[in-house]
Amino acid sequence: MKLKSMRQRSKQSGQQGLSLIELLVSMAIALVIFAGVIEVMLDNKSKFLLSDQLSIIQENARFTVEEIGYDLRMAGYKGCSGSANVANALNGSTGSGLYNGFGVEGWDSSEGSAAFPAEFRGGLWTFNDANKTDPDAFTIKRAGGESNLSVTDHAAPSAVIDVAGSHGLGAGRIMVTATPDCSQVAIFQFTGNNPIQVGHNTGNSVSPGNCSGQLFGSYDCTAPPTNPPASNGKLPNGSQVMEFVANSFYIGQSSIDPTIPSLYKEEFNDAAGGTFTTSAVELVVGVENMQVLYGVDTDADGQANRYVTANAITGVAPLLWSGVVSARVSLLFRSLNNVWGSDTTFSFEGEDYTDRFGRQRVTTTIQLRNMGL
């Protein structure tokens, strides 16, 4: 009897376990909890990715507007006001081109890539989609650069300018001179390689070459002066000698990934071996489109009266590049990765972009403060 009683107590005090139904209910509850945790993690990851990509887009937008804005505000700077005479001694300085003066010059995608400068037309971004407009491009031309030399003597009619100090300019560099009273500006190609002098001889041993050694008057290479003016072409002491700067902005394929668009800045450098060279700098990754409208001053008050596309600048007054006094730049920034869970449509300049990328439009209007003066 005692043994039987002990067995009964042992059986009653032992673990009984779970039934099948209880086990299934417990597993179902655990799955619900785990599903909720996973959903929260995925949602947080998606929000983090979206926030991260939008942060990158906004930072890129700020940098781009600052970079383009600086160059546009400096467009047309030549050390003097717009009333100065301009003597352009460069071969090929007439019409549309890199050396045809100061200011801004743009190209519209509707003109076709052949209309864009050869220096960067091969790198242009295209959508390969008839429903989308390809990006525009523009070039800013001004004086400036790293060298700003002061004239100490100009032994005219000799094509040699003595300057204070020394410089490291190479033969072929395009230069600008401006007199102290801002009455005369000239564009020419540096033909010498003396660190204390600047030569401006005629000839084209290095492209494009000078059609004239004359730095006075108002002319380009279609009609160079045949006789020295009353000043005998002598630059007064204290005149400035600066570099000619030309920077082009366009959208091209990223060097990181050819499926990603980037904003490029094409910088024009010294001539080497008879050929003027350029270098492309990839400024910002993820700039997908750029459309530019140019503000034209039609009543000579220094303010834009109408905004037109680049292909509307006909070269006939008042639609002249020299009459452009402001620029309205619209940029489309794109995330580098997909941020939406499904296709989302974004409209830019009346065209739809439908995919999973995040996008942001930025528009800025910039006064070309050196134009229209």
Side-chain angles (χ1 to χ4, degrees), residues 308-331:
V308 299
T309 58
N311 61 337
I313 307 293
T314 59
V316 179
L319 297 178
L320 299 166
W321 286 113
S322 59
V324 173
V325 296
S326 61
R328 183 171 296 156
V329 184
S330 295
L331 297 155

Side-chain angles (χ1 to χ4, degrees), residues 23 128 155-156 208 210 239 242 310 319 364:
L23 181 61
N128 297 318
N210 297 316
S239 296
M242 300 163 283
L319 297 178
T364 180

Side-chain angles (χ1 to χ4, degrees), residues 86-117:
V86 178
N88 194 332
L90 295 173
N91 288 315
S93 61
T94 60
S96 175
L98 176 61
Y99 316 118
N100 64 343
F102 301 92
V104 64
E105 184 172 0
W107 297 269
D108 191 88
S109 58
S110 64
E111 300 176 84
S113 61
F116 289 68

Side-chain angles (χ1 to χ4, degrees), residues 340-361:
W340 305 117
S342 59
D343 285 352
T344 302
T345 298
F346 188 95
S347 294
F348 176 78
E349 297 295 310
E351 298 171 357
D352 292 337
Y353 297 74
T354 303
D355 49 35
R356 299 186 181 187
F357 291 114
R359 288 183 172 85
Q360 183 173 343
R361 173 198 177 108

Side-chain angles (χ1 to χ4, degrees), residues 112-196:
S113 61
F116 289 68
E119 288 82 3
F120 62 81
R121 74 170 65 127
L124 295 173
W125 174 267
T126 56
F127 287 106
N128 297 318
D129 185 343
N131 296 320
K132 288 185 174 62
T133 302
D134 292 331
D136 295 342
F138 60 89
T139 295
I140 293 162
K141 293 168 282 189
R142 61 179 176 87
E146 298 179 357
S147 299
N148 192 340
L149 308 172
S150 178
V151 175
T152 57
D153 186 39
H154 184 203
S158 170
V160 176
I161 304 170
D162 293 333
V163 295
S166 62
H167 61 80
L169 298 171
R173 172 67 73 173
I174 308 301
M175 305 296 294
V176 176
T177 62
T179 57
D181 62 0
C182 283
S183 63
Q184 181 67 54
V185 172
I187 306 174
F188 66 94
Q189 187 166 37
F190 174 38
T191 57
N193 197 25
N194 188 319
I196 58 173

